[in-house]
């Protein structure tokens, strides 16, 4: 088979890129290794309101709307924050991904499922790239341009010399019904090295008595698998166990999240890498759906320019993709990387002190409630730093935590790995 653009992976990144390519009249193939797009899913499905507005997503995909959060400290302190407006929605990734792939097909992309790309080679001269695909029968696809959207474990980019640095945290979730949910608008977040080393645990309400209880673990900080921590959270955490007493696990979702993974470039001659495959994820929360869709759109637009030009102008189109995504959200990826490294350096007593301050200091809580934007977390930095310093002056017990956090930020900025 031949086409203008081969998009590998029908997640949010790939389906968005395929739609944008096909709508420019490019002959586009979208490959998905699983027999059905969106299945199996691995994700919690929390998506900011920005994503719904920016991509005009239908509200029929929404399971529940969120405007609040409860933060559980390692020492048991709970801080609750509530914003005036809805901040995010929760979706089920299975129908969500199907919806995006259907939009790509409607725009003219050919969606081929049950087809796993295995190898990519450069053909001589202007022959383009040839991808060998594992399917019921052997399939080879030749295209001048590949958009790689394989998710957290891409196999094609290294074959063309693109080796993004990444750390993968390992996630696991139980989707439950029959849970005792006290606030459908507020996910619970649980912190602590004994709870989820290197990341955090959560209960994400999905409407009624449903939810996703999950966590992720950084394997550099623990050699135990996520299931050990998740079973313990479910059975023994003082806030979670009562909530789960009558719950039934209806689905288990597992996946990896690439964090701390930025390195130039995310393209090579004939290939752009997008979404999780490029490490376009917030390292604090692991959220990557919206950024992967933005990257898909930028790569789709760059594909049109790449194929419409030759020589240096074509190469510039790919470099423009890199510049464009870094301008759109690169700062957020960098900022959240520093915050994640900082959090991973702080002992539990300081995490507890921060959450205690949030619970007790009105100024700090208001700063979070007014300026908090889960999608663009760097906007929170100045107001929260100012409020934290004021809180540190008011309550001298917070001073060691503020100092430890500043020291950890400096170490993280100096580039030493967490
Ligand atoms: C436990 C967990 C919870 C998460 N929660 C959230 C959340 O609440 N909000 C949020 O924004 N993000 C969340 N994320 C992150 C989010 O899932 C990803 O950032 C997002 O899915 C990235 O989209 P993508 O299209 O780049 O990759 P993916 O969604 O992973 O899609 C990649 C697709 O490519 C296919 N594929 C892979 N290799 C090949 C191949 N060689 N040939 C053919 N097909 C291939 C895969 O089957 C898959 O369908 C979570 C992740 C995990 C693991």
């Amino acid at each position: 088979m031949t086409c203008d653009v081969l998009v590998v992976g029908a997640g949010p990144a790939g389906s968005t890129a395929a739609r944008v390519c096909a709508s420019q009249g490019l002959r586009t193939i979208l490959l998905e290794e699983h027999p059905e797009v969106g299945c199996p899913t691995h994700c919690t499905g929390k998506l900011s309101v920005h994503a719904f507005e920016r991509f005009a997503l239908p509200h029929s995909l929404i399971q529940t709307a969120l405007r609040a959060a409860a933060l559980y400290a390692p020492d048991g302190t709970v801080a609750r924050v509530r914003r005036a407006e809805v901040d995010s929605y929760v979706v089920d990734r299975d129908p969500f991904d199907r919806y995006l792939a259907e939009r790509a097909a409607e725009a003219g992309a050919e969606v081929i499922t049950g087809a796993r790309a295995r190898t990519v080679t450069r053909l001589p001269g202007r022959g383009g790239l040839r991808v060998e695909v594992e399917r019921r029968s052997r399939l080879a696809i030749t295209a001048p341009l590949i958009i790689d959207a394989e998710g957290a474990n891409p196999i094609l980019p290294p074959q063309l010399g693109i080796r993004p640095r990444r750390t993968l945290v390992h996630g696991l979730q139980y989707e439950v019904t029959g849970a005792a949910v006290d606030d459908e608008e507020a996910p619970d977040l649980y912190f602590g090295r004994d709870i989820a080393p290197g990341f955090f645990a959560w209960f994400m309400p999905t409407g009624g008595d449903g939810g996703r209880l999950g966590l992720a673990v950084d394997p550099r900080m623990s050699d135990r698998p996520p299931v050990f921590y998740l079973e313990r959270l479910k059975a023994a955490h003082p806030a979670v166990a009562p909530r789960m007493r009558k719950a039934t696990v209806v689905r288990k979702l597992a996946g990896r999240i690439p964090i701390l993974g930025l390195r130039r470039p995310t393209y090579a001659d004939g290939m752009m890498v997008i979404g999780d495959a490029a490490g376009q994820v917030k390292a604090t929360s692991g959220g990557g759906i919206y950024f992967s869709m933005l990257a898909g759109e930028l790569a789709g637009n760059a594909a049109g320019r790449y194929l419409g030009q030759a020589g240096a102008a074509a190469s510039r189109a790919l470099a423009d993709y890199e510049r464009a995504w870094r301008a759109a959200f690169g700062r957020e990826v960098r900022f959240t990387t520093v915050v994640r490294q900082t959090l991973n350096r702080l002992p539990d007593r300081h995490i507890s002190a921060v959450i205690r301050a949030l619970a007790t200091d009105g100024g700090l809580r208001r700063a979070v409630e007014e300026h908090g934007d889960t999608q663009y977390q760097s906007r929170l930095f100045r107001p929260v730093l100012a409020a934290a310093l004021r809180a540190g002056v008011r309550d001298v017990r917070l001073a060691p935590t503020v100092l430890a956090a500043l020291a950890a930020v400096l170490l993280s900025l100096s580039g030493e790995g967490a």
Side-chain angles (χ1 to χ4, degrees):
M1 292 176 84
T2 59
C3 60
D4 295 325
V5 189
L6 173 62
V7 183
V8 183
S15 289
T16 306
R19 175 179 57 76
V20 174
C21 289
S23 59
Q24 294 169 82
L26 304 175
R27 286 179 305 134
T28 307
I29 293 178
L30 175 59
L31 278 192
E32 170 53 47
E33 63 184 347
H34 293 111
E36 270 180 60
V37 170
C39 199
T41 177
H42 57 256
C43 176
T44 316
K46 180 173 178 291
L47 196 54
S48 73
V49 288
H50 301 290
F52 270 79
E53 285 161 11
R54 177 74 175 64
F55 289 98
L57 296 169
H59 280 216
S60 56
L61 292 170
I62 295 172
Q63 293 186 294
T64 191
L66 308 173
R67 73 169 80 218
L71 288 79
Y72 289 77
D75 70 359
T77 308
V78 189
R80 295 179 198 281
V81 290
R82 178 166 286 270
R83 303 194 63 200
E85 306 290 332
V86 167
D87 168 79
S88 319
Y89 298 114
V90 183
V91 300
D92 182 344
R93 279 289 301 273
D94 184 343
F96 182 82
D97 285 21
R98 257 198 327 271
Y99 169 82
L100 295 180
E102 280 162 13
R103 295 291 82 77
E106 276 167 18
E110 181 177 352
V111 183
I112 305 180
T113 54
R116 178 161 211 257
R118 297 294 303 219
T119 58
V120 55
T121 45
R122 281 191 196 286
L123 298 174
R126 295 176 162 267
L129 298 162
R130 177 187 164 96
V131 173
E132 297 288 340
V133 179
E134 191 179 281
R135 218 183 166 215
R136 266 159 302 155
S137 55
R138 203 175 140 271
L139 175 64
I141 303 175
T142 305
L145 182 63
I146 295 173
I147 298 181
D148 191 273
E150 289 180 85
N153 283 308
I155 55 172
L156 299 189
Q159 297 175 34
L160 293 187
I162 307 175
R163 292 177 197 280
R165 179 179 69 118
R166 60 165 52 72
T167 299
L168 296 175
V169 294
H170 299 186
L172 178 65
Q173 299 180 90
Y174 294 164
E175 185 156 311
V176 300
T177 56
V181 180
D182 25 74
D183 186 350
E184 272 189 43
E185 294 185 326
D188 291 343
L189 311 176
Y190 309 98
F191 299 91
R193 283 184 186 237
D194 282 346
I195 288 174
F199 217 65
F200 62 95
W202 59 87
F203 178 78
M204 182 62 66
T206 53
D209 62 3
R212 297 185 186 116
L213 180 72
L215 50 73
V217 171
D218 187 332
R220 297 170 308 166
M221 295 176 69
S222 168
D223 50 15
R224 290 190 190 271
V227 66
F228 167 82
Y229 292 98
L230 191 53
E231 281 295 329
R232 198 170 65 173
L233 181 81
K234 182 168 169 278
H237 190 284
V240 179
R243 188 188 289 297
M244 291 295 133
R245 196 156 294 135
K246 293 189 179 154
T248 308
V249 177
V250 290
R251 190 159 64 148
K252 294 186 179 179
L253 319 169
R256 298 190 169 186
I257 310 175
I259 58 165
L260 318 182
L262 275 189
R263 184 175 279 180
R264 285 169 204 270
T266 47
Y267 68 94
D269 189 20
M271 178 181 278
M272 286 178 275
V273 187
I274 61 174
D276 273 16
Q280 291 162 338
V281 172
K282 286 173 286 175
T284 41
S285 62
I289 305 171
Y290 181 44
F291 289 163
S292 71
M293 292 174 71
L294 286 176
E297 187 174 76
L298 294 169
N301 288 329
R305 296 196 300 277
Y306 178 79
L307 294 168
Q309 303 177 59
S315 304
R316 265 200 305 280
L318 301 189
D320 284 348
Y321 155 68
E322 172 107 16
R323 266 193 293 279
W325 80 254
R326 285 182 188 274
F329 58 83
R331 172 189 154 118
E332 295 305 315
V333 179
R334 282 196 311 277
F335 174 80
T336 55
T337 297
V338 171
V339 175
R340 167 55 54 210
Q341 286 176 334
T342 301
L343 290 173
N344 287 0
R345 287 178 197 283
L346 288 181
D348 274 359
R349 67 175 190 286
H350 289 315
I351 304 285
S352 291
V354 171
I355 293 177
R356 205 174 318 117
L358 200 57
T360 54
D361 190 287
L364 189 55
R365 199 170 50 251
R366 266 192 306 282
V368 172
E369 290 175 343
E370 282 168 23
H371 303 280
D373 182 332
T374 53
Q375 193 62 51
Y376 294 99
Q377 295 171 6
S378 66
R379 293 175 188 169
L380 196 63
F381 179 64
R382 281 164 198 264
V384 163
L385 181 65
L389 291 174
R390 280 196 299 274
V393 169
R394 273 196 299 273
D395 181 353
V396 286
R397 284 169 306 172
L398 256 187
T401 297
V402 172
L403 288 176
L406 290 176
V409 168
L410 289 176
L411 274 175
S412 304
L413 285 173
S414 74
E416 289 184 30

